[in-house]
């Protein structure tokens, strides 16, 4: 099988400690991403090239566009409404607020306009994390005992969800019912345990393939519906964290990266680690609905 390859280039030289959670706001034509450890929400307007960030008072891992406007911030101990035009932030509900060792991690909106979101230990404590679904304003725990939940994404027809516990190296596929709730047990779908890099964030394209960041390997791989690698994006930095399709035609792939855990020597070798990267693959992404809270 031939594997297509692409080279990612620097898009925004932001040098986040832990860049994560890239999310396209189609209504406002803005890309958002987070520096979880830096407590920042970054944004880019691809049409103008303008970019900046908001400084927050807590760790946030995703800014999800809301159907009624504004964003829902997925934070370390709370979910909050955020108005990008004014910068105002208002707590909406608690999120593992009674557990001081955890913070939020990977999250993505499903085909029903509901949000799957996860938690993990701040120091990646084993089995401290959980996976949740926020459906019409109600938060339900789907799974616990996870260490670093990642790679949350969904098939176009809403029949399957994918996720991984990064430390296992295995991407799992979970069958969903007609309302988007998991059925039975998730099944192993793609195994990276013995390969270079650890599975991190993921996004689906319009052709039914999954794009998966391989943390530590400097790559994002494209996996076909059988979990086989059919494409590969090479980055000049080693810790890509999550890809997302953005732009008016959803044909531009952006990739967040990190410099978390780097020594001074590693930083000297990868000075732009933590920045936002971009690649034009010619492949269209899958449009995601805005988040519905009611």
């Amino acid at each position: 099988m031939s594997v297509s390859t692409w080279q990612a280039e620097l898009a925004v030289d932001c040098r986040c400690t832990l860049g994560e959670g890239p999310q396209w706001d189609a209504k406002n034509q803005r890309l958002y991403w987070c520096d979880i450890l830096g407590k920042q929400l970054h944004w880019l307007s691809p049409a103008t090239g303008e970019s900046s960030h908001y400084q927050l008072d807590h760790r946030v891992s995703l800014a999800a566009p809301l159907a009624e406007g504004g964003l829902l911030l997925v934070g370390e101990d709370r979910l909050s409404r955020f108005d990008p035009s004014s910068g105002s932030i208002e707590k909406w509900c608690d999120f593992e607020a009674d557990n001081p060792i955890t913070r939020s991690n990977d999250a993505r909106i499903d085909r029903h306009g509901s949000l799957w979101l996860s938690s993990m230990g701040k120091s990646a404590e084993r089995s401290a994390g959980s996976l949740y679904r926020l459906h019409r304003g109600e938060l339900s725990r789907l799974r616990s005992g996870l260490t670093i939940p990642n790679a949350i994404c969904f098939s176009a027809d809403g029949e399957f969800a994918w996720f991984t516990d990064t430390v296992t190296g295995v991407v799992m596929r979970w069958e969903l019912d007609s309302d988007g709730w998991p059925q039975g047990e998730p099944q192993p779908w793609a195994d990276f345990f013995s390969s270079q890099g650890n599975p991190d964030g993921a996004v689906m394209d319009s052709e039914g393939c999954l794009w998966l960041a391989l943390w530590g390997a400097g790559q994002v791989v494209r996996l076909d519906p059988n979990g086989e690698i059919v494409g590969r994006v090479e980055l000049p930095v080693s810790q890509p964290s999550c890809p997302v399709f953005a732009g008016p035609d959803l044909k531009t792939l952006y990739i967040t990266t990190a410099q978390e855990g780097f020594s001074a020597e590693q930083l000297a070798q990868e000075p732009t680690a933590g920045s936002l990267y971009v690649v034009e693959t010619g492949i269209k992404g899958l449009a995601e609905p805005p988040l519905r809270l009611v």
Side-chain angles (χ1 to χ4, degrees):
M1 183 185 297
S2 65
V3 176
S4 305
T5 56
W6 301 273
Q7 299 292 327
E9 298 178 349
L10 186 64
V12 180
D13 190 359
C14 50
R15 307 190 187 194
C16 298
T17 304
L18 180 53
E20 261 288 7
Q23 176 72 49
W24 178 239
D25 180 355
K27 182 180 178 183
N28 297 294
Q29 294 288 296
R30 252 191 184 190
L31 176 68
Y32 289 99
W33 70 101
C34 304
D35 181 353
I36 297 179
L37 300 181
K39 301 179 181 178
Q40 292 176 340
L41 176 63
H42 290 257
W43 62 268
L44 167 68
S45 173
T48 64
E50 187 184 3
S51 65
S52 189
H53 71 269
Y54 303 92
Q55 188 65 50
L56 306 171
D57 65 355
H58 64 294
R59 297 176 181 184
V60 166
S61 59
L62 185 86
L66 288 163
E68 63 262 41
L71 304 168
L72 187 78
L73 302 184
V74 179
E76 60 184 312
D77 59 359
R78 73 201 91 155
L79 307 181
S80 307
R81 288 175 175 269
F82 181 72
D83 181 352
S85 57
S86 67
S88 69
I89 186 168
E90 175 190 345
K91 178 177 158 182
W92 186 70
C93 76
D94 285 335
F95 180 61
E96 293 200 359
D98 56 350
N99 189 347
I101 75 159
T102 60
R103 63 162 172 85
S104 64
N105 200 47
D106 196 44
R108 191 170 291 285
I109 301 167
D110 70 14
R111 309 310 298 163
H112 298 265
S114 301
L115 183 72
W116 287 43
L117 62 163
S118 66
S119 64
M120 63 173 281
K122 289 173 182 169
S123 300
E125 288 87 349
R126 190 154 197 87
S127 303
S130 296
L131 183 61
Y132 296 84
R133 188 184 191 211
L134 176 64
H135 180 68
R136 307 300 181 258
E138 188 172 331
L139 194 62
S140 302
R141 193 192 310 247
L142 304 177
R143 203 164 189 83
S144 56
L146 303 171
T147 300
I148 309 177
N150 267 312
I152 300 169
C153 53
F154 307 92
S155 60
D157 57 14
E159 288 186 8
F160 294 103
W162 285 262
F163 75 95
T164 187
D165 187 350
T166 294
V167 294
T168 67
V170 179
V171 179
M172 310 294 287
R173 191 177 74 165
W174 214 348
E175 195 173 337
L176 305 177
D177 67 18
S178 58
D179 293 316
W181 293 103
Q183 299 194 92
E185 283 295 302
Q187 302 299 314
W189 181 75
D191 191 340
F192 292 89
F193 185 74
S194 57
S195 61
Q196 186 193 6
N198 301 306
D200 204 318
V203 69
M204 294 295 294
D205 68 24
S206 60
E207 299 174 8
C209 293
L210 183 149
W211 297 69
L212 176 71
L214 292 180
W215 176 278
Q219 297 177 0
V220 172
V221 290
R222 185 187 191 217
L223 304 171
D224 70 10
N226 297 315
E228 301 293 330
I229 295 176
V230 294
R232 199 182 299 273
V233 178
E234 304 277 359
L235 292 94
V237 293
S238 59
Q239 293 183 165
S241 53
C242 192
V244 71
F245 287 95
D249 56 4
L250 290 178
K251 281 189 175 176
T252 305
L253 189 74
Y254 288 94
I255 303 162
T256 51
T257 70
Q259 53 175 252
E260 182 188 15
F262 272 16
S263 65
E265 186 181 27
Q266 284 173 297
L267 263 182
Q269 289 172 345
E270 299 180 27
T272 58
S275 296
L276 183 73
Y277 282 82
V278 63
V279 61
E280 301 288 349
T281 64
I283 296 164
K284 187 174 182 178
L286 182 65
E288 294 179 4
L291 172 58
R292 292 174 55 189
L293 292 180
V294 291

